[in-house]
Each structure stands twice: as C-alpha cells, then as structure tokens.
Amino acid sequence: MSRNSFWSKRKPGTGLRLNNPAGHLDPGESPLQGCTRETLEETAFHFTPTALVGVYLSRFERAVPEEETPMDITYLRFAFCGELGEQVQGQALDEGIVRTLWLSADEIRACTQRHRSALLLQCIEDYLAGRRYPLELITTDDSVYQT
C-alpha cells in the first residue's frame, strides 16, 4: 500500500491533531481484534492486520484542572500494518474524529507540530524501514475471553 491512513482529532485545548487509529481494548478483546475495531470506528474502513510493525512505550504528563500535580500517563502502543478493505458508506466516525486523511510520509514529516504523539512518525519510519514481525508474537490468554 502506498498510502498511510491518518486523521484529525479534536482534543480539548490542543486543536486538531494527527494520529493513526488507536484506542483502548474492550473487555474480552485481543490486540488484533482491537486494531480491527478501532480502525473501523475511526476511519470507516475495514482493516485486516497482517504483521506487527512494533511495540512502543511512551509517557507524558497531562494537566488536571484545579490540581497542582499533573496526571502521569503511560501508553503501550502496538503498531500493525495490513490490508485495507472496503469503506463502510455512511458510517459515523467516533466522537472527536473529524475526518480521515490520506497523507504521504513526507507530508506527515512536514507537520510534526500537529502530531498527537511522537510515536506517530516513529511507527511510520519503522514501517518504511521494513520492520515486520509475525502476528503470532502476540498471545492473548483464554482468560481474556471469559466473562
């Protein structure tokens, strides 16, 4: 695929930011299932992961209104590449997602001030460098699926 999917999100106090499909895992969901679901919810496109690009850890602090101490947040990101499927016509995007954008790597490199996270560009550079790991690297224990 010669395109990368990114979109703008509106976040309070930060304006429009670029990010790739991302989110939290729902209860009873594996990372692969979460990737597929989040991509559909945030882009209206079906997506099938075919390889793991990398696993990334980041940390930042977010101001909390009326609090002196900021909230310390750590993210663990799994970046996947795969096959883009059909668009679901008429599907609303998740709250906060303004639209899906198709940008080249050079266009993304040219607007780092609009990135939601430095990991956005790192994941793209790793993908372009050919980093691919088998999906079997990720194991989801059966306990995740028990209710």
Side-chain angles (χ1 to χ4, degrees):
M1 184 169 87
S2 61
R3 303 181 295 179
N4 292 300
S5 171
F6 299 90
W7 68 91
S8 297
K9 275 189 174 180
R10 184 173 306 277
K11 291 289 182 185
T14 64
L16 294 176
R17 296 286 182 223
L18 296 175
N19 198 15
N20 45 5
H24 303 277
L25 294 175
D26 284 348
E29 187 173 65
S30 72
L32 292 173
Q33 292 167 326
C35 171
T36 300
R37 178 187 51 76
E38 287 288 349
T39 302
L40 180 62
E41 291 175 355
E42 297 185 358
T43 69
F45 279 89
H46 290 283
F47 178 76
T48 304
T50 58
L52 177 68
V53 174
V55 180
Y56 307 84
L57 186 66
S58 67
R59 180 179 173 215
F60 73 97
E61 292 181 340
R62 177 183 296 153
V64 178
E66 302 179 23
E67 296 283 334
E68 283 187 37
T69 306
M71 184 183 305
D72 190 350
I73 300 172
T74 300
Y75 284 108
L76 181 64
R77 175 186 290 215
F78 292 79
F80 297 95
C81 62
E83 297 175 8
L84 189 66
E86 295 294 316
Q87 183 177 21
V88 179
Q89 297 298 322
Q91 177 166 323
L93 301 179
D94 267 359
E95 183 179 339
I97 307 297
V98 176
R99 65 184 171 134
T100 300
L101 300 174
W102 298 101
L103 303 173
S104 70
D106 286 338
E107 289 171 317
I108 294 164
R109 288 182 192 112
C111 63
T112 56
Q113 73 283 1
R114 292 183 58 207
H115 295 182
R116 184 163 180 230
S117 162
L119 292 180
L120 171 73
L121 187 56
Q122 182 65 55
C123 293
I124 292 168
E125 298 295 358
D126 288 350
Y127 170 80
L128 294 173
R131 295 207 172 116
R132 308 286 189 282
Y133 303 97
L135 295 176
E136 293 78 20
L137 226 88
I138 303 168
T139 300
T140 302
D141 186 75
D142 287 341
S143 64
V144 169
Y145 306 114
Q146 297 172 2
T147 56

